[in-house]
């Protein structure tokens, strides 16, 4: 029997502290040849989605950096910023910052050169020279001669006779003859006809005599109407094998090199041949107050319309609180801030911010870490002004591009991209 005044006592155990789980939320691998010789200092900064600094570290060629923290301290989305400090031979110092917003945590990036999943470029050595004479031409706007992995820069003469002023003659002199002697000569005449002829089995020192009536129409055409004020630079490569992604094995090209600008034409005309499965097209149009660019590697493009300049309203153009609005639909965006060269310190600053269509473009944090600023007191962020916006209006998503550039480090074997670049 217990005494009446004795009570049962129970000792309560203190709860165990929750386990502190650490995770690697970002890894950076730097290839031995990533940074150029003019690079003198390099940093990577990581912020959470609220702009709080998680970590910052310097990096160099051949280094691997891991970033660890408690799981509860890292948001699912992080922002990556790199700072590259470079000097030139004239002792000008450049500060180049690049930010990538909305990156999933637990990512691994590789700073290394992208590679192509293709065979290397096949050499096509020179074995001689030859000439080409084409007669009975209407006046020529542009001509171009190219072969397998070669683009001819031979000197050409275009002449006419007083007796037959409507019959012009084209003489292409001392063209390099290559071991794989398969060439294509393309002519854009004054009647806006684009015709071609293929040439092969050529002998050294031979002069090929051609008549324009022997030239052929392409199997299909892409006609692009240009606005009145346009500087253009279209390039087209025709790939024999649809698995090719570079000018390897069997590639013929026609590269007009701003011909449409210099000849004052208001159109671009591209010819397609059914025997070529893949086309590598690169068109850049300077439209005065904005630029449009289109790149495609894949089947032929049937229709291409040049978009109008987008209407963009900039609510705040500062680097830390940037905000803008546009009715133009786009996949991702890149915004640029620049400073003029500071004559006192001989320095300049560039800051580029990448983001997708759904996220904000501002970089969230308000300043760089003190140790970076102490090391570079002439880094003047406040001297930068907003300069331009680039909208990607067609192509792979923002995160797909990030994966290709910094995770798999492989270029896409087929793609179709379009961009609008608007200067402030």
């Amino acid at each position: 029997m217990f005494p009446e005044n004795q009570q049962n006592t129970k000792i309560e155990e203190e709860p165990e502290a929750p386990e502190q789980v650490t995770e690697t939320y970002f890894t950076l691998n730097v290839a031995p040849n990533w940074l150029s010789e003019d690079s003198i200092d390099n940093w990577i900064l990581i912020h959470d989605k609220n702009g709080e600094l998680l970590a910052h570290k310097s990096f160099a060629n051949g280094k691997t950096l891991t970033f660890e923290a408690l799981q509860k301290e890292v948001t699912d989305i992080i922002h990556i910023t790199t700072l590259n400090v470079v000097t030139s031979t004239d002792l000008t110092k450049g500060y180049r910052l690049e930010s990538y917003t909305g990156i999933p945590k637990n990512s691994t990036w590789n700073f290394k050169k992208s590679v192509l999943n293709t065979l290397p470029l096949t050499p096509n050595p020179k074995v001689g020279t030859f000439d080409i004479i084409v007669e009975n031409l209407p006046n020529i706007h542009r001509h171009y001669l190219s072969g397998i992995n070669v683009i001819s820069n031979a000197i050409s003469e275009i002449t006419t006779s007083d007796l037959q002023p409507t019959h012009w003659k084209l003489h292409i002199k001392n063209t390099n003859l290559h071991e794989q002697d398969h060439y294509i000569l393309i002519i854009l005449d004054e009647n806006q006809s684009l015709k071609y002829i293929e040439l092969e089995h050529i002998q050294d020192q031979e002069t090929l005599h051609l008549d324009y009536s022997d030239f052929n129409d392409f199997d299909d055409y892409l006609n692009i109407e240009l606005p009145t004020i346009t500087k253009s630079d279209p390039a087209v490569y025709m790939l024999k094998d649809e698995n090719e992604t570079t000018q390897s094995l069997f590639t013929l090209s026609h590269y007009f090199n701003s011909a449409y600008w210099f000849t004052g034409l208001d159109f671009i005309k591209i010819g397609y041949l059914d025997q070529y499965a893949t086309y590598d097209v690169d068109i850049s149009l300077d439209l005065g107050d904005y630029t449009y660019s289109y790149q495609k590697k894949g089947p032929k493009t049937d229709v291409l319309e040049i978009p109008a300049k987008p209407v963009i309203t900039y609510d705040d153009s500062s680097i830390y609180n940037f905000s803008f609005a546009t009715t133009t639909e786009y996949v991702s965006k890149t915004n640029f801030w620049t400073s003029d060269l500071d004559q006192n310190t001989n320095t300049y600053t560039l800051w580029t911010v990448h983001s997708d269509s759904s996220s904000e473009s501002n970089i969230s944090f308000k300043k760089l870490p003190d140790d970076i600023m102490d090391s570079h007191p002439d880094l003047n962020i406040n001297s930068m002004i907003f300069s331009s916006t680039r909208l990607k209006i067609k192509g792979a998503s923002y995160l797909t591009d990030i994966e290709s550039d910094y995770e798999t480090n492989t270029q896409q074997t087929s793609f179709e991209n379009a961009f609008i670049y608007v200067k402030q």
Side-chain angles (χ1 to χ4, degrees):
M1 298 293 296
F2 293 105
E4 293 181 0
N5 61 348
Q6 186 173 354
Q7 299 180 355
N8 292 331
T9 59
K10 181 179 181 181
I11 300 175
E12 295 185 1
E13 296 181 359
E14 293 185 3
E16 294 184 3
E19 183 181 0
Q20 302 293 305
V21 179
T22 300
E23 66 175 341
T24 299
Y25 63 87
F26 187 76
T27 302
L28 174 64
N29 302 305
V30 186
N33 63 344
W34 174 254
L35 297 170
S36 59
E37 294 181 356
D38 62 357
S39 178
I40 61 173
D41 196 17
N42 303 277
W43 291 82
I44 181 169
L45 301 85
I46 305 181
H47 293 79
D48 68 15
K49 67 180 180 181
N50 302 313
E52 296 296 326
L53 180 64
L54 296 172
H56 65 292
K57 297 181 181 181
S58 62
F59 66 89
N61 280 338
K63 299 296 184 181
T64 293
L65 305 180
T66 57
F67 296 84
E68 297 180 346
L70 297 177
Q71 283 184 340
K72 64 180 182 179
E73 294 178 349
V74 183
T75 56
D76 290 338
I77 295 298
I78 57 178
H79 304 317
I80 308 296
T81 297
T82 60
L83 168 62
N84 181 223
V85 186
V86 298
T87 57
S88 59
T89 54
D90 63 358
L91 301 182
T92 299
K93 182 189 288 185
Y95 294 102
R96 302 172 182 174
L97 295 112
E98 195 152 10
S99 295
Y100 301 84
T101 68
I103 303 302
K105 74 171 182 178
N106 303 326
S107 296
T108 296
W109 281 17
N110 304 295
F111 283 176
K112 69 177 183 178
K113 311 297 183 184
S114 296
V115 296
L116 288 168
N117 296 322
T118 61
L119 296 173
L121 185 69
T122 303
N124 193 358
K126 176 184 173 182
V127 294
T129 61
F130 67 102
D131 282 17
I132 301 174
I133 295 176
V134 184
E135 299 195 75
N136 295 320
L137 282 161
N139 198 1
I140 302 174
H141 279 309
R142 187 67 173 176
H143 69 277
Y144 211 80
L145 176 67
S146 60
I148 300 175
N149 294 334
V150 295
I151 298 176
S152 173
N153 60 353
I155 297 175
S156 304
E157 287 184 356
I158 302 174
T159 58
T160 187
S161 167
D162 292 337
L163 299 178
Q164 292 182 304
T166 59
H167 289 71
W168 296 74
K169 179 170 70 174
L170 169 66
H171 187 184
I172 304 175
K173 302 178 179 180
N174 294 317
T175 297
N176 287 338
L177 178 62
H178 293 265
E179 189 174 274
Q180 298 179 75
D181 64 332
H182 191 145
Y183 296 83
I184 185 168
L185 175 58
I186 299 171
I187 292 178
L188 178 67
D189 65 33
E190 67 174 359
N191 298 321
Q192 301 183 0
S193 294
L194 186 68
K195 295 178 178 289
Y196 79 97
I197 193 169
E198 292 186 88
L199 310 169
E200 54 186 345
H201 307 306
I202 304 167
Q203 302 300 313
D204 183 24
Q205 302 297 314
E206 183 178 3
T207 297
L208 303 178
H209 291 272
L210 309 173
D211 191 277
Y212 191 53
S213 62
D214 297 327
F215 280 62
N216 306 293
D217 291 325
F218 284 85
D219 295 320
D220 198 6
Y221 292 94
L222 171 61
N223 293 289
I224 308 169
E225 294 184 3
L226 299 179
T228 304
I229 303 175
T230 307
K231 298 176 184 178
S232 61
D233 196 7
V236 182
Y237 298 94
M238 300 184 288
L239 309 179
K240 192 74 172 181
D241 185 341
E242 63 182 2
N243 294 318
E244 289 182 35
T245 56
T246 62
Q247 298 168 58
S248 60
L249 298 182
F250 195 94
T251 303
L252 300 178
S253 70
H254 49 292
Y255 180 25
F256 289 95
N257 194 21
S258 298
Y260 294 88
W261 171 29
F262 293 126
T263 54
L265 300 180
D266 59 358
F267 69 93
I268 291 175
K269 194 168 193 175
I270 293 173
Y272 296 123
L273 294 176
D274 293 342
Q275 62 178 297
Y276 295 94
T278 301
Y279 292 85
D280 187 350
V281 178
D282 190 343
I283 298 173
S284 178
L285 303 178
D286 184 347
L287 300 162
D289 54 356
Y290 74 106
T291 300
Y292 172 77
S293 62
Y294 175 84
Q295 300 100 33
K296 181 177 181 180
K297 187 172 289 183
K300 64 184 181 182
T301 299
D302 295 319
V303 178
L304 183 61
E305 296 181 354
I306 310 304
K309 179 183 177 181
V311 177
I312 301 179
T313 302
Y314 296 97
D315 301 319
D316 189 333
S317 61
S318 65
I319 182 69
Y320 294 117
N321 298 296
F322 183 77
S323 178
F324 82 100
T326 180
T327 57
T328 299
E329 294 185 1
Y330 60 93
V331 178
S332 60
K333 56 186 177 292
T334 304
N335 290 287
F336 303 87
W337 286 260
T338 63
S339 73
D340 294 329
L341 181 67
D342 188 321
Q343 299 296 333
N344 296 320
T345 61
N346 206 30
T347 63
Y348 65 90
T349 306
L350 309 175
W351 201 327
T352 304
V353 180
H354 307 272
S355 55
D356 66 17
S357 58
S358 60
S359 66
E360 296 182 358
S361 299
N362 59 303
I363 54 177
S364 300
F365 58 91
K366 299 301 181 185
K367 66 174 185 176
L368 296 176
D370 291 339
D371 54 343
I372 293 180
M373 297 305 300
D374 291 342
S375 299
H376 302 285
D378 51 3
L379 171 54
N380 188 357
I381 300 298
N382 295 328
S383 66
M384 294 188 309
I385 59 173
F386 176 68
S387 62
S388 55
T389 293
R390 185 182 67 194
L391 301 178
K392 184 178 184 180
I393 60 175
K394 179 180 289 187
S397 70
Y398 171 68
L399 289 181
T400 298
D401 285 339
I402 293 292
E403 179 183 4
S404 176
D405 291 340
Y406 297 123
E407 295 182 17
T408 62
N409 304 102
T410 55
Q411 296 183 13
Q412 299 169 350
T413 56
S414 62
F415 57 84
E416 184 176 26
N417 297 324
F419 300 88
I420 298 178
Y421 181 88
V422 182
K423 295 181 180 180
Q424 177 69 342

